Amino acid sequence: QVQVVQSGGGLVQPGGSLRLSCAASGSIFSINVMGWYRQTPGKQRELVAAITSGGRTNYADSVKGRFTISRDNAKNTVYLQMNSLNAEDTAVYYCNLKGTDSSRRSPYDAWGQGTQVTVSS
């Protein structure tokens, strides 16, 4: 079983910054992909950023140049640095990990509990 715990988030003014973190624990054999998604009421959950085990990153066009995803493999942790925030970034942010479980050597798809990011003046 893989568990994911998020931290960070909160209220920030437009133009401000926040940093989200997501730490995984449990029966982890490997983490292949770490990603951040966000969701607003009535809308589909969308991918914000992702990073592979090799360090390759992908970003949604709406956040490219403003957000940076990174990972600390030793701590099984992924971060999302969010700069130049605007109201359109307001959402619940979820981290997602895809990898291989160390117990059964089977794939897993684990989600964090979500954290609210509100950008408002």
Side-chain angles (χ1 to χ4, degrees):
Q1 185 178 5
V2 177
Q3 297 178 339
V4 182
V5 179
Q6 298 180 221
S7 62
L11 176 65
V12 64
Q13 294 184 1
S17 299
L18 285 173
R19 191 187 191 196
L20 308 180
S21 65
C22 180
S25 62
S27 55
I28 301 172
F29 179 77
S30 66
I31 303 175
N32 298 326
V33 182
M34 291 180 168
W36 289 94
Y37 293 74
R38 66 186 180 187
Q39 186 171 27
T40 56
K43 296 183 178 180
Q44 296 281 351
R45 188 173 299 182
E46 65 175 352
L47 177 67
V48 177
I51 184 169
T52 68
S53 60
R56 186 174 181 85
T57 59
N58 288 308
Y59 297 92
D61 289 339
S62 60
V63 307
K64 189 173 297 184
R66 300 187 297 119
F67 291 11
T68 302
I69 187 171
S70 61
R71 63 188 293 170
D72 185 336
N73 292 331
K75 297 182 178 180
N76 290 328
T77 301
V78 61
Y79 305 92
L80 184 66
Q81 178 66 45
M82 304 184 292
N83 299 325
S84 301
L85 287 162
N86 57 62
E88 300 301 317
D89 298 316
T90 296
V92 176
Y93 285 71
Y94 299 88
C95 65
N96 173 251
L97 286 73
K98 296 181 174 65
T100 302
D101 182 270
S102 63
S103 179
R104 297 185 177 183
R105 298 295 179 90
S106 59
Y108 67 82
D109 187 352
W111 291 87
Q113 78 277 17
T115 184
Q116 177 70 46
V117 172
T118 302
V119 185
S120 177
S121 60

